[in-house]
Amino acid sequence: GVTAEERRRCQEAGMNHFVAKPIQAEALLELLPQPESTAEATLDVDRLHSVVAGDPKFQQELIETFVQDLKSTLTNLEIAVRETDRPRCRRLAHGLRGSSLYVGGLRLSRLAERLETDAAQDNLEEAAQLLPSLNQEARALQDQLQAAPKTAG
């Protein structure tokens, strides 16, 4: 084992934490900072299940409709930003914010909200910079929605 003296010497040398051998993965993971992206889930399955109220058929239809609409919304958002069409960008981002929140897409909803705010503040340069993150999060949400457990019907 590790003695108290060894721990003290390490701390005096500037170490913030100490993990003794044999290293336990759980102990090590607790000490590592978590990336911000894991602070909020891509998909809140409980929210999705709450919306569909235990109806697996409705869940499937909702996901299919959302995914289909998502593709055209993302394409139209990119066009609106490229053409500096602020009202259209704001409207599309607002719709995406609401629809993603409805299906449990928390992070996508937050990104869409930032995009909507940027468009409202005539900051389409910032909006353009958000598009890659928005597309990446949309793909992640789409994958998780399609893999989401079905509600008990």
Side-chain angles (χ1 to χ4, degrees):
V2 177
T3 67
E5 175 63 22
E6 289 173 304
R7 284 184 189 272
R8 186 189 58 73
R9 281 197 334 254
C10 289
Q11 289 175 336
E12 285 175 0
M15 295 176 81
N16 294 329
H17 302 287
F18 189 98
V19 179
K21 290 182 181 178
I23 294 174
Q24 301 292 318
E26 297 83 22
L28 182 59
L29 289 173
E30 284 177 18
L31 297 176
L32 296 175
Q34 298 299 313
E36 280 187 39
S37 62
T38 61
E40 183 172 59
T42 292
L43 174 62
D44 181 344
V45 176
D46 291 338
R47 180 183 287 258
L48 173 64
H49 288 172
S50 172
V51 166
V52 299
D55 184 339
K57 184 177 179 195
F58 178 50
Q59 178 177 330
Q60 187 60 39
E61 290 171 4
L62 180 65
I63 291 170
E64 287 173 5
T65 301
F66 176 78
V67 168
Q68 185 177 12
D69 291 348
L70 180 62
K71 291 175 185 174
S72 65
T73 298
L74 292 173
T75 300
N76 288 323
L77 263 172
E78 288 185 21
I79 293 168
V81 169
R82 186 173 57 241
E83 295 177 351
T84 63
D85 186 343
R86 283 182 347 132
R88 184 173 181 212
C89 181
R90 187 176 179 187
R91 187 181 74 257
L92 288 164
H94 181 81
L96 179 59
R97 181 183 71 164
S99 63
S100 7
L101 188 60
Y102 187 68
V103 298
L106 304 180
R107 286 199 318 223
L108 183 59
S109 179
R110 298 246 192 289
L111 285 169
E113 182 177 26
R114 285 177 49 198
L115 188 66
E116 180 183 7
T117 301
D118 287 341
Q121 295 174 348
D122 198 17
N123 194 351
L124 288 183
E125 287 178 16
E126 284 287 322
Q129 291 176 9
L130 274 177
L131 289 176
S133 297
L134 194 79
N135 282 307
Q136 181 180 353
E137 186 59 31
R139 281 190 300 276
L141 177 59
Q142 179 178 331
D143 291 345
Q144 288 189 24
L145 278 168
Q146 291 173 333
K150 305 294 182 253
T151 61

